[in-house]
């Protein structure tokens, strides 16, 4: 029996994160027969913004044939820019921000209605409650140790003028306290015109349920392959 050809999942981390955020998901995708590429965005340089983050991902994708682009949280602002510049097979947004054309990261919070939710992340406890519910304490401590400063690009308009011509799926996390399900469903309908797929877990689902997340990413890719090949 012939083995279905695998793909490469290009993994884009969220705000203040790093490629480490995907370190538990990558081996699970490898076990499913895929290759992975987790990219460190140059977020610490205040001169960089979404356009420069996309530059880093595009450069890392050199030599790849139609990869699957996966973006978490703030990485959702970078992913469509990447997909406008390379040929991607599929774009998957994992509890991610969805930019409007020309919208800056600073404008996103008010433009989507997020600011009306009253979610506070000023203290460490508030960050734990919003981002890390369900994540084991040792992984939370490791995540804080790998945290980086998100220094630039807040007021830089999104380079996209229209959504890229690539199949797009959105993966909602049912237990997310930062981007709550009702907020996400409305946002996805308004900005993408689709119904999100769903998975158990909080905002940091890649640390909480890496095997389930990898399995869902594999499932979404296989569904896309079936649509294309019949």
């Amino acid at each position: 029996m012939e083995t279905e050809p695998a793909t490469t999942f290009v993994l884009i981390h969220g705000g203040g994160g790093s490629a480490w955020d995907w370190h538990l998901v990558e081996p699970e995708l490898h076990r499913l027969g895929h290759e992975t590429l987790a990219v460190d965005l140059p977020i610490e340089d205040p001169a960089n913004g979404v356009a420069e983050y996309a530059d880093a991902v595009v450069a890392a994708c050199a030599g790849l044939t139609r990869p699957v682009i996966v973006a978490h949280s703030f990485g959702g602002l970078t992913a469509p820019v990447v997909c406008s510049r390379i040929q991607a097979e599929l774009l998957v947004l994992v509890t991610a921000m969805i930019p409007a054309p020309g919208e800056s990261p600073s404008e996103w919070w008010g433009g989507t209605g997020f600011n009306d939710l009253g979610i506070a992340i000023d203290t460490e406890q508030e960050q734990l409650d919003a981002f890390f519910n369900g994540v084991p304490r040792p992984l939370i401590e490791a995540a804080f140790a790998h945290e980086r400063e998100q220094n630039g690009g807040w007021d830089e308009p999104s380079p996209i003028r229209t959504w890229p011509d690539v199949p797009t799926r959105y993966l909602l996390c049912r237990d997310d306290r930062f981007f709550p399900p009702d907020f996400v469903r409305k946002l996805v309908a308004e900005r993408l015109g689709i119904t999100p797929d769903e998975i158990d877990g909080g905002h940091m689902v890649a640390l909480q349920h890496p095997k389930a997340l990898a399995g869902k990413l594999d499932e979404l890719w296989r569904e896309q392959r079936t649509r294309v090949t019949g």
Side-chain angles (χ1 to χ4, degrees):
M1 182 176 65
E2 292 186 5
T3 301
E4 185 175 2
T7 190
T8 299
F9 285 89
V10 176
L11 307 170
I12 304 174
H13 62 77
S18 68
W20 177 89
D21 294 353
W22 299 101
H23 78 285
L24 298 178
V25 176
E26 289 190 90
E28 298 296 340
L29 287 171
H30 297 164
R31 277 189 270 275
L32 292 169
H34 302 294
E35 295 182 352
T36 61
L37 175 62
V39 182
D40 277 319
L41 304 182
I43 62 174
E44 294 166 306
D45 187 338
N48 293 334
V50 170
E52 288 74 26
Y53 304 159
D55 288 343
V57 179
V58 170
C61 289
L64 298 181
T65 302
R66 295 178 59 79
V68 175
I69 307 298
V70 181
H72 175 245
S73 197
F74 190 92
L77 303 183
T78 298
V81 183
V82 173
C83 289
S84 71
R85 295 170 53 189
I86 70 169
Q87 288 192 326
E89 182 175 13
L90 178 68
L91 169 58
V92 183
L93 300 171
V94 180
T95 189
M97 298 166 73
I98 307 169
E103 181 180 61
S104 72
S106 293
E107 292 170 332
W108 187 91
W109 310 95
T112 60
F114 176 88
N115 286 340
D116 299 331
L117 300 177
I119 296 171
I121 54 171
D122 298 320
T123 69
E124 181 174 315
Q125 187 58 53
E126 288 170 342
Q127 292 173 23
L128 290 173
D129 291 342
F131 296 120
F132 291 99
N133 57 304
V135 178
R137 186 70 202 191
L139 280 174
I140 295 175
E141 293 173 356
F144 277 119
H146 284 85
E147 189 175 20
R148 298 186 295 154
E149 289 292 331
Q150 183 84 40
N151 284 328
W154 290 102
D155 297 318
E156 176 185 316
S158 174
I160 67 168
R161 292 295 173 262
T162 186
W163 198 258
D165 185 20
V166 59
T168 301
R169 305 289 289 269
Y170 193 105
L171 190 53
L172 173 156
C173 294
R174 298 186 186 102
D175 309 307
D176 197 336
R177 297 176 183 173
F178 186 58
F179 290 161
D182 286 346
F183 165 75
V184 168
R185 292 186 186 102
K186 182 173 182 289
L187 179 66
V188 173
E190 290 177 348
R191 296 206 165 182
L192 296 177
I194 62 175
T195 299
D197 295 275
E198 301 190 8
I199 190 173
D200 289 335
H203 196 71
M204 299 301 288
V205 65
L207 298 179
Q208 185 184 7
H209 297 308
K211 184 174 183 178
L213 177 55
K216 190 65 177 181
L217 293 174
D218 175 72
E219 176 186 322
L220 296 178
W221 170 73
R222 291 182 184 280
E223 288 179 6
Q224 179 59 26
R225 276 291 169 94
T226 299
R227 289 190 182 97
V228 172
T229 63

